[in-house]
Amino acid sequence: MFWVALSGLIFSSFMALVRYVGATMDPIQTSFLRYGFGLLFLVPFFVKVRWADVAAANWKLHTLRGLMHGTGVMLWFYAMSRIPLAEVTAIGFTNPVFATIGAALFLREVIRLPRITAVIAGLFGALLIVRPGFAEVDPGAIAMLIAAPIFAASDLIAKVLTRHESGPAVVAYLSVFVTAVTFVPAMMVWRAPTVEEWLLTIAIAGLATLGHLAMMQGFKVGEISAVQTARFLQLLWSALIGYAMFAETPGLYTWIGSAIIIASALFIAHRESKARQTGRPTVEAAHTTRTPPH
């Protein structure tokens, strides 16, 4: 739980830097630089990729995942430049909700009434934060609502890929594809970054990689169902950092919606844990982990 809680603090710091850079740099250019520099930090993972992994790779699924994830990344970076950190974090917690829907639609997994109820509650929580029709909806919130199911679909494809391919290979291919997908859009809005922006984007890539490593360590040494609750501390980190750096104060509806989303996500994780114990299929394979898409 310590490692997962630490990863949440690192991710929140990473998000704050993205928000800060987003005030002067186009979010698409920022997303390209994040993954471009991220390739350098992933050199140890590339070393682990064997030629047999390359030959056996399902390139159709890797390409589809790269296109989807790259699109989601650009939407996520745009949302980060528009709406408070706590809102981005809270809406991002709907990932298991959308993953459950995707598993039922595309993987033909049986979703029973309790989990369906949790899905509906999670979606209601997200809508409560955005409140369409009751408040002016920021384009950043719409972008995040679109990005969340895209990332969930990317997770499902990763689940399928890891049945036959190594984890390092799947991580490495995604980084290459996302860098390629964001390259052309980034060139269309490109401007020469300042020295400060170069340093900040390098720090962004480094923090994102470090956050993933901390989360993987947490999942490695602890049961996923046990450490899952520590992930939601990221909402607290995001709220505190958002207030300290940008004077962002989450509203009442953000907290209520976040509580509903977190409760639904915890319930889904609990159902998955019980299903694994009884040997029934689950949305999340027992040997895989879901990590943030930053």
Side-chain angles (χ1 to χ4, degrees), residues 54 77 109 135 156 158 168-169 204:
V54 178
F77 272 78
E109 294 182 354
L156 292 173
I204 285 170

Side-chain angles (χ1 to χ4, degrees), residues 68-80:
M68 294 180 65
H69 205 91
T71 302
V73 163
M74 288 186 284
L75 289 169
W76 185 88
F77 272 78
Y78 176 74
M80 280 299 311

Side-chain angles (χ1 to χ4, degrees), residues 169-238:
V170 173
V171 171
Y173 299 152
L174 177 66
S175 300
V176 172
F177 273 108
V178 172
T179 303
V181 168
T182 56
F183 174 74
V184 173
M187 292 303 102
M188 296 175 65
V189 297
W190 184 270
R191 69 162 177 80
T194 64
V195 174
E196 180 188 26
E197 289 169 341
W198 279 119
L199 294 175
L200 286 174
T201 50
I202 293 173
I204 285 170
L207 285 173
T209 304
L210 186 62
H212 282 296
L213 292 175
M215 179 168 286
M216 285 190 291
Q217 179 65 17
F219 286 139
K220 179 181 178 181
V221 301
E223 289 291 332
I224 294 178
S225 57
V227 302
Q228 186 78 3
T229 52
R231 290 190 62 186
F232 298 115
L233 281 174
Q234 185 178 340
L235 180 61
L236 175 62
W237 304 140
S238 296

Side-chain angles (χ1 to χ4, degrees), residues 44-61:
F45 289 90
F46 284 105
V47 172
K48 295 182 181 180
V49 177
R50 302 164 298 177
W51 176 250
D53 294 325
V54 178
N58 186 331
W59 290 110
K60 289 183 180 179
L61 281 184

